[in-house]
């Protein structure tokens, strides 16, 4: 009998509805071709791609769960919480996401103003040109514009030199709060999962506080196998999952065939000692 942890589940990726470059339909095809048998599209702060993703998955015969990746401000830093198994028509979640997206337009103009200060003009229009969804203009779209302009050779370098804290194009932003975020996901019938914990710049005491608070609010999962983690971090966050009793998730965080180092469905499988977050969908 195959173990449930051996399922090729990819529960984190992005389409043109947020900052990915492929349509939900193309992502579904690509996931299935790469062996994915349980899939979720988790666009940032946005559910506009869910119906298309589900329909495309159904047409291929690939199991699908509704997903979203929500931007949260916690202890002064941006973290991401993934909601899985959510109902994309839930009013509480839709309204929460609308509020979370709301500041992106103003922030984008501020980013463009900041870039103009260092001699890069036309960044707002330039970034907007790359955004498939004008309600969801993100730093990724600025990064693509700066590459097109020849300012940097790839998006990774743009982030390092322009778009992160301490760099000229960085604009601080207040996203959703953690308790509300978990509550919206739960109200929509989903499970809340901490995305790529290895990416956050907290002390270990702060990380412990994050796990505790997240649990108190009703969060149940943590990404262990993600495109953002090194093999060492698979071990580290596998142990965290066991310590806190979190279910473990797996997702590539795929955005684009050229930009993303990890393709859909190609990460190592979840270690068999962990409880997969998808055990709740079976
Ligand atoms: P935003 O929500 O507008 O702040 O944009 C966040 C997105 O930027 C993330 O979801 C990633 O897709 C992308 N991103 C963040 N940091 C980096 C980085 N260092 N290199 C490449 N992409 C990044
Ligand atoms: Mn992204
Ligand atoms: Mn993320
Ligand atoms: Mn993501």
């Amino acid at each position: 009998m195959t173990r449930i942890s051996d399922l090729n589940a990819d529960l984190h990726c992005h389409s043109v509805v947020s900052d990915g470059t492929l349509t939900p339909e193309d992502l579904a095809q690509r996931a299935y071709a790469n062996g994915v048998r349980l899939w979720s599209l988790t666009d940032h702060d946005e559910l506009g791609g869910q119906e298309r993703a589900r329909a495309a998955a159904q047409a291929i015969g690939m199991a699908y769960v509704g997903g979203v990746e929500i931007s949260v401000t916690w202890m002064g830093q941006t973290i991401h919480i993934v909601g899985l198994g959510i109902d994309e028509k839930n009013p509480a979640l839709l309204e929460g996401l609308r509020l979370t997206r709301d500041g992106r337009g103003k922030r984008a103009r501020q980013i463009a103003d900041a870039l103009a200060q260092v001699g890069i003009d036309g960044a707002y229009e330039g970034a907007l040109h790359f955004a498939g969804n004008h309600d969801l203009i993100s730093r990724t779209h600025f990064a693509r514009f700066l590459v097109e302009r020849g300012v940097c050779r790839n998006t990774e370098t743009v982030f390092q030199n322009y778009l992160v804290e301490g760099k000229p194009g960085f604009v601080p932003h207040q996203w959703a709060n953690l308790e509300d975020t978990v509550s919206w996901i739960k109200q929509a019938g989903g499970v809340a999962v901490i995305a790529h914990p290895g990416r956050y710049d907290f002390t270990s005491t702060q990380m412990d506080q994050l796990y505790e608070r997240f649990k108190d609010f009703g969060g149940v999962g943590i990404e262990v196998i993600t495109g953002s983690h090194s093999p060492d971090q698979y071990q580290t966050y596998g142990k965290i999952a066991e310590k806190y009793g979190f279910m473990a998730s797996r997702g590539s965080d795929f955005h684009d065939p050229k930009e993303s180092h990890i393709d859909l469905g190609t990460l190592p499988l979840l270690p068999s000692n962990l409880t997969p977050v998808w055990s709740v969908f079976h």
Side-chain angles (χ1 to χ4, degrees):
M1 207 186 86
T2 54
R3 288 181 306 226
I4 186 173
S5 53
D6 286 345
L7 181 66
N8 189 340
D10 194 321
L11 304 180
H12 189 150
C13 70
H14 300 274
S15 77
V16 289
V17 172
S18 64
D19 61 348
T21 60
L22 301 187
T23 61
E25 291 80 8
D26 286 345
L27 286 168
Q29 294 283 352
R30 192 178 183 99
Y32 192 77
N34 287 354
V36 173
R37 293 299 176 262
L38 176 67
W39 179 51
S40 185
L41 171 66
T42 55
D43 277 314
H44 297 284
D45 309 325
E46 172 66 89
L47 299 172
Q50 293 302 307
E51 264 183 33
R52 289 171 64 186
R54 178 174 283 105
Q58 256 164 17
I60 308 169
M62 176 170 61
Y64 186 78
V65 288
V68 66
E69 180 176 22
I70 306 181
S71 312
V72 170
T73 302
W74 191 79
M75 284 189 132
Q77 280 193 45
T78 300
I79 65 169
H80 288 166
I81 301 295
V82 167
L84 296 171
I86 44 107
D87 166 13
E88 65 257 27
K89 297 203 167 61
N90 179 268
L93 178 60
L94 283 165
E95 177 62 8
L97 294 179
R98 193 188 63 74
L99 290 169
T100 307
R101 282 193 305 269
D102 214 30
R104 279 187 180 269
K106 187 173 162 210
R107 172 197 188 227
R109 292 197 180 273
Q110 290 171 333
I111 293 175
D113 290 345
L115 290 172
Q117 297 278 319
V118 294
I120 302 163
D121 292 322
Y124 179 76
E125 293 73 17
L128 208 56
H129 174 75
F130 282 95
N133 171 3
H134 287 189
D135 287 344
L136 210 109
I137 182 160
S138 100
R139 284 184 294 161
T140 314
H141 303 118
F142 281 93
R144 291 182 186 137
F145 165 70
L146 264 62
V147 172
E148 181 193 60
R149 222 356 125 74
V151 176
C152 292
R153 67 176 198 288
N154 57 36
T155 52
E156 192 67 37
T157 325
V158 180
F159 272 91
Q160 280 166 17
N161 295 302
Y162 290 94
L163 299 179
V164 294
E165 201 161 354
K167 299 298 171 180
F170 180 77
V171 172
H173 193 74
Q174 189 74 29
W175 301 106
N177 90 37
L178 183 62
E179 182 168 14
D180 291 347
T181 297
V182 176
S183 156
W184 301 332
I185 292 169
K186 287 177 66 181
Q187 287 177 74
V191 293
V193 174
I194 298 175
H196 42 62
R199 261 175 48 181
Y200 307 136
D201 200 12
F202 291 122
T203 63
S204 65
T205 311
Q206 288 175 317
M207 284 307 287
D208 286 336
Q209 281 173 349
L210 172 61
Y211 302 133
E212 294 290 357
R213 299 303 286 150
F214 179 68
K215 252 190 112 142
D216 291 344
F217 297 146
V220 294
I222 182 176
E223 285 185 345
V224 172
I225 307 291
T226 139
S228 301
H229 285 174
S230 64
D232 276 359
Q233 289 175 317
Y234 302 157
Q235 303 284 328
T236 305
Y237 295 101
K239 287 193 185 118
I240 294 286
E242 289 188 300
K243 178 175 170 192
Y244 286 90
F246 287 135
M247 293 184 285
S249 193
R250 173 179 186 263
S252 56
D253 207 356
F254 180 82
H255 284 71
D256 170 80
K258 287 205 203 83
E259 283 169 22
S260 301
H261 309 299
I262 306 288
D263 207 338
L264 287 153
T266 62
L267 284 168
L269 294 172
L270 210 61
S272 57
N273 60 309
L274 303 176
T275 306
V277 71
W278 51 89
S279 59
V280 302
F281 308 129
H282 272 247

